[in-house]
Amino acid sequence: MQNVRTELRDGILFLTIDRPKVLNALNAATVEEIFHVFSTAHDDVTVKAVIVTGAGEKAFVAGADINELAQKTPVTGKETSERGQFILAFIEKFPKPVIAAINGFALGGGCELALACHIRIASDKAQIGLPEVTLGIIPGYGGTQRMARLLGSAKALELICTGDRIGAAEAERIGLVNKVVPADQLVAAAEEMARKIMSRGPLAIRAAIEAVNRGSEMPIREGEFLEATLFGLLCASEDTKEGMKAFLEKRPANFKGK
Ligand code: COA
């Protein structure tokens, strides 16, 4: 892999998009490398969480690579959009927590990548936006859909139609990021969040991700049915018994993911 770096540290897979000369812009090769990392990590029991960030001080990801975008035809443009949508949906559905550590510009495809992650923590230097309309296109990696579901259509349309970038504090205020921390504490904050989630029952985390993701696509009564079904399934797991037992015995639970 030439465009991303990975490091596995005590169960956390750190995935760093590493093309600093172009502010970590996503060319097709980088998008495929990101997919390769997530598909390999999917069934790797040593990976318990993923933290996605960008190399360097300046950018998380400054968007799709405009050099490549400029060559697209209607056919290849649609194919590119569909491939990106598929890969980001794979990240969104990932059964282990995925945290975006937004260390700088998260624009266009970078913002969309962060939106596909389960939790977003931003450095106080982060700048986030969907500037595609300034190039005469629209977000193509699920940004129109996820932004509107996250923020509501009015705020999403404001951001998408102006193409404006917003700072970290404003992003936190409107609920686009979960939390803002000083730049030098970003990785530590993402790691702290990942470790806290990793200490919980992994089957419960997997079910929670599935219930929230799938449920948001369903009428509420069907979402509740899904919730009850997953709840019931968890009651059959060793982890659930261990969690309750540990509470009653006043000790930390030792979850095994079974
Ligand atoms: N695709 C390809 N190259 C990109 C890029 C992208 N999305 N974003 C930045 N780069 C390149 C620049 O062309 C420049 O290359 P150069 O050094 O060969 O000239 C380099 O990265 C540094 O960017 P630069 O624009 O000089 O930095 P800046 O601090 O002045 O501005 C941004 C930073 C992020 C505001 C600006 O680079 C920008 O607007 N990028 C495009 C963002 C965008 O529209 N993304 C959505 C794409 S769909």
Side-chain angles (χ1 to χ4, degrees), residues 3 40 70 77 84 124 138 149 225:
N3 305 295
T40 309
D124 53 1
I138 60 169
R149 281 166 171 77
F225 180 76

Short mmCIF file of all heavy atoms in Angstrom, two decimals, residues 3 40 70 77 84 124 138 149 225:
data_model
loop_
_atom_site.label_atom_id
_atom_site.label_comp_id
_atom_site.label_asym_id
_atom_site.label_seq_id
_atom_site.Cartn_x
_atom_site.Cartn_y
_atom_site.Cartn_z
N ASN A 3 -0.51 4.59 -0.24
CA ASN A 3 -1.20 5.84 0.11
C ASN A 3 -1.78 5.86 1.51
O ASN A 3 -2.31 6.88 1.94
CB ASN A 3 -2.32 6.09 -0.89
CG ASN A 3 -1.81 6.10 -2.31
OD1 ASN A 3 -1.03 6.98 -2.66
ND2 ASN A 3 -2.19 5.12 -3.11
N THR A 40 -9.85 -6.47 5.34
CA THR A 40 -8.96 -7.40 6.05
C THR A 40 -9.24 -7.36 7.55
O THR A 40 -9.24 -8.39 8.22
CB THR A 40 -7.49 -7.01 5.78
OG1 THR A 40 -7.31 -6.86 4.38
CG2 THR A 40 -6.52 -8.07 6.28
N ALA A 70 -11.27 15.55 -12.69
CA ALA A 70 -11.36 16.36 -13.91
C ALA A 70 -11.45 15.50 -15.17
O ALA A 70 -11.85 16.00 -16.23
CB ALA A 70 -10.13 17.28 -13.99
N GLY A 77 -17.83 8.71 -14.01
CA GLY A 77 -18.22 9.50 -12.83
C GLY A 77 -19.22 8.72 -11.98
O GLY A 77 -19.08 8.64 -10.76
N GLY A 84 -17.28 4.48 -4.39
CA GLY A 84 -17.04 5.18 -3.13
C GLY A 84 -18.17 4.97 -2.15
O GLY A 84 -17.96 4.74 -0.95
N ASP A 124 -9.07 21.16 17.31
CA ASP A 124 -9.60 22.53 17.25
C ASP A 124 -9.16 23.24 15.96
O ASP A 124 -9.66 24.31 15.64
CB ASP A 124 -9.21 23.34 18.51
CG ASP A 124 -7.71 23.30 18.78
OD1 ASP A 124 -6.96 22.68 17.99
OD2 ASP A 124 -7.28 23.90 19.79
N ILE A 138 -21.64 17.59 -7.15
CA ILE A 138 -22.22 17.44 -5.81
C ILE A 138 -21.45 16.34 -5.09
O ILE A 138 -20.72 15.57 -5.72
CB ILE A 138 -23.74 17.10 -5.85
CG1 ILE A 138 -23.99 15.77 -6.59
CG2 ILE A 138 -24.54 18.23 -6.46
CD1 ILE A 138 -25.43 15.25 -6.44
N ARG A 149 -29.24 13.22 6.93
CA ARG A 149 -29.76 12.37 8.02
C ARG A 149 -29.19 12.80 9.36
O ARG A 149 -29.85 12.70 10.40
CB ARG A 149 -29.42 10.90 7.75
CG ARG A 149 -30.37 10.26 6.73
CD ARG A 149 -29.80 8.94 6.24
NE ARG A 149 -30.71 8.16 5.42
CZ ARG A 149 -31.00 8.39 4.15
NH1 ARG A 149 -30.47 9.42 3.52
NH2 ARG A 149 -31.84 7.61 3.50
N PHE A 225 -38.58 -3.51 16.41
CA PHE A 225 -38.59 -4.97 16.25
C PHE A 225 -37.16 -5.49 16.10
O PHE A 225 -36.76 -6.48 16.74
CB PHE A 225 -39.44 -5.35 15.02
CG PHE A 225 -39.50 -6.83 14.78
CD1 PHE A 225 -40.30 -7.65 15.58
CD2 PHE A 225 -38.74 -7.43 13.78
CE1 PHE A 225 -40.33 -9.03 15.37
CE2 PHE A 225 -38.77 -8.80 13.58
CZ PHE A 225 -39.57 -9.60 14.37
#
